[in-house]
Amino acid sequence: MTYEKGDILTIDITDMGINGEGIGKINGYTLFVKDAVIGDKVRVSIMKAKKSYAYAHLDEVIEASQDRVKPLCPKAKACGGCQLQALDYKAQLSYKQSKVRNDLIRIGGFDPEYATSVLKPIVGMENPIRYRGKSQFPIGRDREGHIVTGFYAGHSHNIIPIDDCVIGAEEYAQIMDKVAEHMRRYDIAPYDEASGTGLIRHVLVRKGYNTGELMVCLILNRGPSYDGMYITGQGELIRSLSSVENMTSVSVNLNRSRDNVIMGEQTHTIWGKECIEDCLRISADITDDDSCTLSDFSKDIDAGCGIDRLDREITYEISPRSFYQVNPIQTEKLYSLALKYAGLTGSETVWDLYCGIGTISLFLAGAAGHVFGVEIVPEAIEDAKRNAAKNGIDNADFYVGKAEDIAVNEDAAGNSSEALIDMSSDTDKIILPKPDVIVVDPPRKGCDTALIDTMLRVEPKRIVYVSCDPATLSRDLKLLCDGGYTLSEATPVDMFPHTVHVETVVLLSRKDA
Ligand code: SAH
């Protein structure tokens, strides 16, 4: 049976899709209903009908699910940032757990019983609000021409005005008010996507969770040359922003492009420091192997007869364009797991690919022989090097490059700390010594197949895969398991409460090791 646009139906929501939409079935026909949650009985009207499924509008919740809650944010329904605020947090966690499991089975091709046995319970947050250490607010005009700041509505670039985002830091609202107020006073135009005119495109704000330090970066539709004073009344704006308690850095970033990429290449600090600092603390059980030797960090490690436990704090400098995990509270838990899965005993050569500012690498270095970090953003690598020095770590080296372009130096001894850079080709190829362990933490699109091939060729004992998309993770796990690895354990970590996103950390072990 099929239905058509305008049909009105009553259905039970029995599942939720990858974007958090409710899913209900009627006579074998599937309906996707935004804002409906599992367990709801709803009345819907069909908006767009296909042969076997349709998108329907939620007209009325007839019987609310026992997991339905009042969203914390009054704008949650319209804003594209949070998709799950109407779902109780425990139910959000079980939705994410089954999302990872389903992808392992459907995309990864793992047997359902096996997937259940290797998948550990998701690590949730105790208090899932105010966790975002970074937010990027678009600035535009509403229909009446007033300046608005907030977030984009789902699947569009219409700005939903948000006064205070409950998953962001408390100070963000004050900062955004000050920017909007200044723009109104001096009649500064926000960027207009359609015409490519206007000045201020986005405002990036960051907060160091453990230090409280704040950063603001105004992304301007200017460049490539920099004249230092693009904003009318810039001195006054700086005074206003720097009066926010704990403000540490104010910068502008120049971006003239007409595409959706938020930040341009050039950043100029206009007040305070270039970076903010944050620190992360990890206490992890690493291994019970007692045949190991302790690295230089042994003094920081509460070790019995080997490196069983790593108990360490690392301080990071973070510049505006560098990637830094948005939820530091959960990051500490995520990295503890990554470290445990790496199973280091003090002597290993480790590759940390997609290393950002060296966040995981510097913890790995505490239990490894040598760590090689590779990352595509040059500023992040500069930060990583500075961070290593700042924390007195001398067994981690960092290189700018693409993870998929890495080659292995077959001749180098296993514990060599030498990497070579091949400048003979257009893109510099980084040639690293053979690894015992590889850690990868790619963006949503997952690992390039060239990197998967490299990993299979160099045969590390273990691969630790940190992923922010269970679909691409499952795709890559299939390739790695077909190539000789066993999926030993996977743990989802809720880095992004109230959104559909879920992070997963996975241990792969070589079958013949
Ligand atoms: N491991 C880091 C960063 C993970 S985010 C942390 O936990 O903080 C993914 C990182 O991969 C980003 O810093 C991004 O700039 C980088 N990246 C994206 N594509 C890349 C590629 N092809 N090769 C290397 N790094 C890449």
Side-chain angles (χ1 to χ4, degrees), residues 18-75:
I18 52 167
N19 296 315
E21 69 283 21
I23 298 177
K25 291 209 172 198
I26 185 161
N27 301 325
Y29 191 80
T30 306
L31 292 154
F32 296 99
V33 189
K34 187 178 170 302
D35 302 319
V37 306
I38 293 188
D40 278 346
K41 184 189 261 309
V42 291
R43 189 164 47 75
V44 300
S45 44
I46 293 185
M47 299 183 302
K48 195 170 169 188
K50 302 268 179 187
K51 219 163 144 198
S52 59
Y53 66 93
Y55 298 98
H57 178 263
L58 174 62
D59 294 337
E60 190 193 347
V61 177
I62 297 170
E63 259 169 55
S65 160
Q66 59 183 23
D67 293 326
R68 182 176 266 285
V69 292
K70 185 166 180 269
L72 297 164
C73 168
K75 305 282 179 62

Side-chain angles (χ1 to χ4, degrees), residues 16 76 78 94 106 133 149 164 193 195 200 214 288 334 386 425 433 495:
M16 279 169 84
S94 67
R106 195 173 51 86
T149 71
D164 178 24
E193 275 181 334
S195 62
I200 303 186
L214 287 165
D288 49 15
L334 179 78
R386 234 189 359 251
S425 56
M495 299 286 279

Side-chain angles (χ1 to χ4, degrees), residues 323 325 335 354-356 359-360 375-377 401-404 441 443:
F323 176 90
Q325 297 282 357
Y335 289 178
Y354 309 89
C355 70
T359 17
I360 306 181
E375 155 68 43
I376 206 167
V377 174
K402 290 187 184 164
E404 55 273 27
D441 184 4

Side-chain angles (χ1 to χ4, degrees), residues 42-318:
V42 291
R43 189 164 47 75
V44 300
S45 44
I46 293 185
M47 299 183 302
K48 195 170 169 188
K50 302 268 179 187
K51 219 163 144 198
S52 59
Y53 66 93
Y55 298 98
H57 178 263
L58 174 62
D59 294 337
E60 190 193 347
V61 177
I62 297 170
E63 259 169 55
S65 160
Q66 59 183 23
D67 293 326
R68 182 176 266 285
V69 292
K70 185 166 180 269
L72 297 164
C73 168
K75 305 282 179 62
K77 203 169 155 188
C79 176
C82 293
Q83 303 82 17
L84 300 180
Q85 275 202 21
L87 194 62
D88 174 64
Y89 187 55
K90 272 209 184 106
Q92 289 185 22
L93 292 177
S94 67
Y95 159 76
K96 293 183 187 190
Q97 179 86 9
S98 51
K99 182 172 175 172
V100 176
R101 182 174 175 274
N102 291 346
D103 283 349
L104 288 175
I105 297 165
R106 195 173 51 86
I107 304 168
F110 295 97
D111 173 71
E113 263 176 46
Y114 185 71
T116 306
S117 71
V118 291
L119 192 60
K120 301 292 158 204
I122 185 166
V123 179
M125 281 189 90
E126 263 166 47
N127 188 17
I129 55 164
R130 301 271 176 227
Y131 63 80
R132 280 196 75 95
K134 171 184 154 187
S135 291
Q136 300 176 121
F137 296 90
I139 301 198
R141 291 191 193 276
D142 63 13
R143 287 216 180 103
E144 286 77 46
H146 302 125
I147 286 174
V148 283
T149 71
F151 288 113
Y152 292 133
H155 309 290
S156 91
H157 274 195
N158 294 336
I159 299 172
I160 305 294
I162 306 275
D163 301 327
D164 178 24
C165 169
V166 292
I167 62 170
E170 262 147 356
E171 294 89 341
Y172 294 172
Q174 192 190 350
I175 293 168
M176 292 313 299
D177 271 356
K178 283 177 183 281
V179 175
E181 175 55 34
H182 186 83
M183 291 174 73
R184 283 180 205 115
R185 180 172 315 152
Y186 287 96
D187 201 16
I188 297 169
Y191 178 63
D192 175 54
E193 275 181 334
S195 62
T197 59
L199 181 65
I200 303 186
R201 300 172 68 122
H202 273 83
V203 178
L204 174 146
V205 284
R206 278 189 194 270
K207 182 178 179 185
Y209 179 77
N210 286 309
T211 58
E213 290 190 359
L214 287 165
M215 162 185 280
V216 186
C217 178
L218 303 152
I219 296 135
L220 307 181
N221 180 33
R222 287 291 181 273
S225 65
Y226 174 62
D227 80 355
M229 283 299 250
Y230 285 123
I231 306 169
T232 316
Q234 189 161 303
E236 196 180 319
L237 178 61
I238 289 173
R239 271 194 299 284
S240 162
L241 290 172
S242 61
S243 70
V244 177
E245 204 182 340
N246 288 325
M247 184 58 68
T248 305
S249 167
V250 181
S251 59
V252 292
N253 174 274
L254 308 184
N255 182 7
R256 270 233 104 120
S257 76
R258 295 291 296 271
D259 58 25
N260 284 342
V261 177
I262 295 182
M263 296 189 85
E265 305 265 309
Q266 281 187 63
T267 307
H268 302 272
T269 307
I270 56 175
W271 182 86
K273 298 200 283 181
E274 266 175 46
C275 298
I276 56 164
E277 268 187 15
D278 197 18
C279 57
L280 293 175
R281 186 166 186 90
I282 287 194
S283 295
D285 288 324
I286 305 181
T287 173
D288 49 15
D289 182 348
D290 44 32
S291 63
C292 63
T293 51
L294 293 176
S295 76
D296 286 341
F297 286 2
S298 54
K299 54 185 180 300
D300 295 315
I301 296 166
D302 174 20
C305 48
I307 302 178
D308 318 327
R309 239 189 120 62
L310 186 78
D311 217 336
R312 193 169 166 77
E313 183 174 289
I314 304 232
T315 306
Y316 300 97
E317 286 191 5
I318 310 153

